[in-house]
Amino acid sequence: MTIDDAPRDALRGGPRELLRWVATGAAVSRADLSRLSGLSPSTVSQRVEALISQGLLEETGAGRSRGGRRPRQLAVPTGGAVVGAIDLGAHHARLGTLDLSGRVVQARTLPVRIEDGPEAVLGALLTEVAALAPNDPAAPPAGATARALRGIGIGIPGPVQHATGRIVSPSRMPGWNGFDVAAFCAGRVDVPVIVDNDANLMALGAHRTAHPELDHAVYIKAGTGIGSGVISSGRLHRGAQGSAGDISHCRVAADPAPPCTCGNSGCLEAVASGAALVTALREQGVPVDDLTGVIRLIDDGDRQATALARQAGRAVGEILAVVVNFFNPQVVAIGGRLADCEPLLASMRATLYERCLPLATQSLLIERVAAGQDVGITGAAHLVIDHVVTAS
């Protein structure tokens, strides 16, 4: 069993959770950590010292006394060490650096052409992330950036075999199939590089930001494509090979059933994704260039675009109803560019309530992902932070 697969209770008071309590302000001392974790003071002190030696925690002074010696306060370092993050999309990439508490230090959005291939796209983005990392004044010039940058997390808009970092049969990513992202990056940067599907990173970032107290959640990323990430027992659930949560190729009732890039027909992505809405509107004679144009038409109350958005919402709701009945999450949240499409969201919500068992929906939260455009890089950063803590 890996740490990602372990039950939440078994990890209570582990280094990852101690770090998160300090980062969120829930704990400012070893005594606080002992109280929250239920661990003995000696065990907590041993784990805290290990985190300090790795540069993941620091002592910032003495706190208020409660009758004895004033406790030494703990904090996550906010200067120097950062993690890099890349959230790759079909046309743009959001990238940045975040501190060891998961707060964004710097971020920017760059245009990309996914069809330029993995070497060109990833090579350029790695260079940009390295340039954002601050220099460590204590390091020699040649090693400054490497010491400041603790790792890089990368989200890919396609299926990723997480254990190997290899992309497997992605849609709309010509030249990327079988590409070993982890190996490519290892030859260009000397810090750990963790690769995952972009929907998984959105799920991790949204969960850590909005609902860290919940154990079970499903997060949908609806943009040009459609995907989802699953949180189970408080942890990102990937399944055996890394494909857990891939709802894009589940079949929905559609007449006619449009062909999908996977070779089948009637897949959710072929019916309800942003790319599918663009195609459907063009077939109806509506001149639209991209998803931005579709959203503009919906916002303007265009009858055809609004009707298609409602149909897409029902299709997403039908698939999610199966997921909710089977998995029984506490929250279903939708992010991505289509999350702000009210007709789609309303239809999705209505279909969920219609198709799900009352027990599954009586306390279910159905909402938008509220973390904004940095949710993907936030998830990528937490992926790296978790790796660093686990390895420490």
Side-chain angles (χ1 to χ4, degrees), residues 49-333:
E49 290 301 326
L51 291 170
I52 290 174
S53 69
Q54 291 292 317
L56 299 172
L57 283 180
E58 64 180 4
E59 293 179 327
T60 59
R64 179 181 299 176
S65 172
R66 296 183 178 179
R69 187 173 61 183
R70 296 172 69 189
R72 288 172 291 176
Q73 289 189 300
L74 300 171
V76 175
T78 56
V82 295
V83 295
I86 298 171
D87 184 18
L88 179 62
H91 305 292
H92 297 87
R94 184 72 173 169
L95 54 89
T97 53
L98 297 90
D99 66 25
L100 297 179
S101 68
R103 289 186 290 263
V104 176
V105 177
Q106 295 188 73
R108 64 180 62 167
T109 300
L110 298 177
V112 298
R113 284 169 42 90
I114 205 78
E115 61 270 23
D116 287 344
E119 292 93 346
V121 172
L122 292 173
L125 294 177
L126 287 172
T127 299
E128 291 286 344
V129 168
L132 291 177
N135 287 334
D136 182 348
T145 298
R147 286 190 57 181
L149 191 64
R150 302 298 297 269
I152 299 174
I154 302 177
I156 300 293
V160 175
Q161 190 176 45
H162 177 70
T164 64
R166 190 179 296 275
I167 301 173
V168 182
S169 301
S171 301
R172 293 184 295 275
M173 296 179 71
W176 290 71
N177 183 39
F179 188 75
D180 191 335
V181 178
F184 174 83
C185 295
R188 283 156 181 79
V189 294
D190 55 359
V191 295
V193 176
I194 314 297
V195 187
D196 212 327
N197 172 264
D198 61 342
N200 279 347
L201 296 190
M202 187 200 74
L204 185 61
H207 194 70
R208 294 282 176 86
T209 301
H211 295 295
E213 77 287 357
L214 299 183
D215 287 328
H216 310 294
V218 176
Y219 294 90
I220 303 95
K221 184 172 185 179
T224 301
I226 290 184
S228 75
V230 178
I231 301 293
S232 179
S233 297
R235 306 290 174 188
L236 186 61
H237 176 69
R238 298 187 180 90
Q241 297 296 326
S243 67
D246 190 348
I247 61 174
S248 57
H249 299 291
C250 295
R251 198 174 194 279
V252 296
D255 186 22
C260 182
T261 54
C262 72
N264 290 317
S265 60
C267 294
L268 182 64
E269 186 164 298
V271 173
S273 67
L277 295 180
V278 171
T279 299
L281 282 170
R282 287 175 178 173
E283 290 175 349
Q284 293 181 18
V286 178
V288 62
D289 295 325
D290 51 25
L291 181 53
T292 299
V294 175
I295 294 174
R296 187 181 302 115
L297 287 171
I298 295 170
D299 289 342
D300 290 341
D302 180 86
R303 178 179 56 82
Q304 291 166 287
T306 301
L308 286 171
R310 292 188 182 281
Q311 292 175 15
R314 284 193 291 273
V316 173
E318 288 176 5
I319 297 301
L320 287 180
V322 177
V323 174
V324 169
N325 281 330
F326 177 78
F327 179 55
N328 190 202
Q330 295 155 296
V331 59
V332 169

